[in-house]
Amino acid sequence: MKVHHIGYAVKDVSAAVKAFKVLGWVVTAEPSDDVSRNISIAFVSNGQYVVEFIATLNPEHSSPVDFLSKAKFPGNGIPYHLCYECNCLEQTVAELENTGYRQITQVAPAPAIDDRNVVFLLNQHIGLIELIERGDNQ
Ligand code: NI
Protein backbone atom coordinates (compact mmCIF):
# COMPACT_ATOMS: atom_id res chain seq x y z
CA MET A 1 0.00 0.00 0.00
CA LYS A 2 1.13 3.52 -0.75
CA VAL A 3 1.90 5.73 2.25
CA HIS A 4 -0.56 8.65 2.33
CA HIS A 5 0.90 10.61 5.26
CA ILE A 6 2.83 10.54 8.53
CA GLY A 7 0.80 11.71 11.53
CA TYR A 8 2.58 13.97 14.03
CA ALA A 9 1.15 14.70 17.46
CA VAL A 10 1.89 18.32 18.36
CA LYS A 11 0.71 20.81 20.95
CA ASP A 12 0.08 23.71 18.53
CA VAL A 13 -0.75 22.97 14.88
CA SER A 14 -0.11 26.51 13.60
CA ALA A 15 3.26 26.72 15.34
CA ALA A 16 4.21 23.30 13.93
CA VAL A 17 3.26 24.42 10.40
CA LYS A 18 5.39 27.55 10.82
CA ALA A 19 8.39 25.50 12.00
CA PHE A 20 8.08 23.08 9.05
CA LYS A 21 7.72 25.94 6.50
CA VAL A 22 11.19 27.13 7.51
CA LEU A 23 12.46 23.69 6.44
CA GLY A 24 10.93 23.97 2.98
CA TRP A 25 7.53 22.32 3.53
CA VAL A 26 4.43 23.82 1.94
CA VAL A 27 0.95 23.92 3.45
CA THR A 28 -1.55 21.70 1.62
CA ALA A 29 -4.38 22.03 4.15
CA GLU A 30 -4.52 25.04 6.49
CA PRO A 31 -5.15 24.36 10.18
CA SER A 32 -8.78 23.46 10.88
CA ASP A 33 -10.76 21.94 13.71
CA ASP A 34 -12.36 18.50 13.68
CA VAL A 35 -14.73 18.88 16.61
CA SER A 36 -16.04 15.31 16.41
CA ARG A 37 -12.50 14.01 17.11
CA ASN A 38 -11.56 16.93 19.42
CA ILE A 39 -8.50 17.80 17.31
CA SER A 40 -6.94 20.62 15.31
CA ILE A 41 -5.35 19.37 12.13
CA ALA A 42 -3.23 20.58 9.19
CA PHE A 43 -1.24 19.05 6.35
CA VAL A 44 2.13 20.01 4.83
CA SER A 45 4.10 18.40 2.03
CA ASN A 46 7.69 18.25 0.83
CA GLY A 47 8.16 16.34 -2.40
CA GLN A 48 6.59 12.91 -1.92
CA TYR A 49 6.27 13.35 1.84
CA VAL A 50 3.06 14.44 3.50
CA VAL A 51 2.89 15.21 7.22
CA GLU A 52 -0.30 15.63 9.20
CA PHE A 53 -0.18 17.66 12.41
CA ILE A 54 -2.71 16.78 15.10
CA ALA A 55 -3.26 18.69 18.35
CA THR A 56 -5.88 18.33 21.06
CA LEU A 57 -8.60 20.94 20.57
CA ASN A 58 -10.13 21.03 24.06
CA PRO A 59 -7.82 19.70 26.80
CA GLU A 60 -10.84 19.17 29.07
CA HIS A 61 -11.83 16.21 26.91
CA SER A 62 -9.99 13.17 25.58
CA SER A 63 -8.43 13.20 22.11
CA PRO A 64 -6.41 10.76 19.99
CA VAL A 65 -3.22 12.72 20.84
CA ASP A 66 -3.68 13.48 24.53
CA PHE A 67 -0.82 11.05 25.22
CA LEU A 68 1.39 14.00 24.25
CA SER A 69 0.68 15.85 27.50
CA LYS A 70 2.05 12.83 29.40
CA ALA A 71 5.15 12.32 27.22
CA LYS A 72 8.40 13.22 28.99
CA PHE A 73 10.58 13.12 25.87
CA PRO A 74 10.57 14.72 23.34
CA GLY A 75 7.30 16.16 24.65
CA ASN A 76 6.20 17.59 21.31
CA GLY A 77 6.24 16.69 17.62
CA ILE A 78 5.90 12.93 18.03
CA PRO A 79 5.32 10.95 14.81
CA TYR A 80 2.85 8.29 15.92
CA HIS A 81 1.13 6.84 12.88
CA LEU A 82 1.68 6.11 9.20
CA CYS A 83 -1.44 6.29 7.05
CA TYR A 84 -1.79 3.90 4.09
CA GLU A 85 -4.07 4.34 1.12
CA CYS A 86 -6.21 1.38 0.04
CA ASN A 87 -9.01 0.67 -2.40
CA CYS A 88 -11.48 -0.78 0.09
CA LEU A 89 -11.29 -0.23 3.84
CA GLU A 90 -13.51 -3.16 4.72
CA GLN A 91 -11.47 -5.65 2.70
CA THR A 92 -8.09 -4.31 3.85
CA VAL A 93 -9.16 -4.31 7.51
CA ALA A 94 -10.28 -7.93 7.17
CA GLU A 95 -6.96 -8.91 5.56
CA LEU A 96 -4.89 -7.11 8.21
CA GLU A 97 -6.95 -8.56 11.06
CA ASN A 98 -5.93 -12.02 9.83
CA THR A 99 -2.27 -11.06 10.33
CA GLY A 100 -2.43 -9.62 13.84
CA TYR A 101 -3.74 -6.08 13.38
CA ARG A 102 -6.73 -5.05 15.46
CA GLN A 103 -9.26 -2.41 14.40
CA ILE A 104 -9.56 0.15 17.22
CA THR A 105 -11.82 2.84 15.74
CA GLN A 106 -14.98 2.88 13.71
CA VAL A 107 -14.68 3.76 10.03
CA ALA A 108 -15.45 7.49 9.89
CA PRO A 109 -15.07 10.36 7.41
CA ALA A 110 -12.09 12.70 7.83
CA PRO A 111 -13.25 16.29 7.20
CA ALA A 112 -9.65 17.49 6.71
CA ILE A 113 -9.14 14.96 3.87
CA ASP A 114 -12.20 15.58 1.69
CA ASP A 115 -14.39 13.49 4.01
CA ARG A 116 -12.68 10.31 2.86
CA ASN A 117 -13.23 7.37 5.20
CA VAL A 118 -10.43 6.46 7.61
CA VAL A 119 -9.91 3.81 10.27
CA PHE A 120 -7.16 3.08 12.80
CA LEU A 121 -5.63 -0.30 13.60
CA LEU A 122 -3.16 -1.39 16.24
CA ASN A 123 -0.36 -3.93 15.91
CA GLN A 124 1.46 -5.07 19.00
CA HIS A 125 4.87 -4.86 17.28
CA ILE A 126 4.59 -1.52 15.46
CA GLY A 127 1.77 0.37 17.17
CA LEU A 128 -0.78 2.44 15.31
CA ILE A 129 -1.53 2.63 11.59
CA GLU A 130 -4.29 4.45 9.74
CA LEU A 131 -6.00 3.39 6.54
CA ILE A 132 -7.62 5.84 4.14
CA GLU A 133 -9.87 4.81 1.31
CA ARG A 134 -8.79 6.01 -2.13
CA GLY A 135 -10.97 8.89 -3.31
CA ASP A 136 -13.00 8.95 -6.54
CA ASN A 137 -10.46 11.17 -8.29
CA GLN A 138 -7.24 9.42 -7.22
NI1 NI B 1 -3.59 10.50 9.95
Side-chain angles (χ1 to χ4, degrees), residues 2-10 20 25 41-46 48-54 77-84 113 120 128 130:
K2 184 178 167 236
V3 173
H4 184 270
H5 65 260
I6 304 158
Y8 258 70
V10 296
F20 262 58
W25 294 69
I41 188 165
F43 285 87
V44 295
S45 73
N46 183 338
Q48 297 275 56
Y49 297 97
V50 176
V51 165
E52 168 191 48
F53 297 116
I54 308 108
I78 301 176
Y80 77 104
H81 73 264
L82 283 176
C83 176
Y84 296 88
I113 321 174
F120 285 86
L128 198 62
E130 178 181 19

Side-chain angles (χ1 to χ4, degrees), residues 73-93:
F73 179 82
N76 207 342
I78 301 176
Y80 77 104
H81 73 264
L82 283 176
C83 176
Y84 296 88
E85 197 167 47
C86 63
N87 290 320
C88 173
L89 285 184
E90 198 178 316
Q91 187 189 332
T92 306
V93 166

Side-chain angles (χ1 to χ4, degrees), residues 56-114:
T56 300
L57 190 55
N58 179 352
E60 308 271 305
H61 299 287
S62 68
S63 91
V65 292
D66 52 14
F67 63 85
L68 194 58
S69 59
K70 297 166 196 127
K72 290 199 172 121
F73 179 82
N76 207 342
I78 301 176
Y80 77 104
H81 73 264
L82 283 176
C83 176
Y84 296 88
E85 197 167 47
C86 63
N87 290 320
C88 173
L89 285 184
E90 198 178 316
Q91 187 189 332
T92 306
V93 166
E95 286 167 5
L96 290 175
E97 280 187 328
N98 283 334
T99 68
Y101 286 81
R102 185 164 52 88
Q103 182 179 348
I104 59 158
T105 67
Q106 296 295 315
V107 172
I113 321 174
D114 301 328

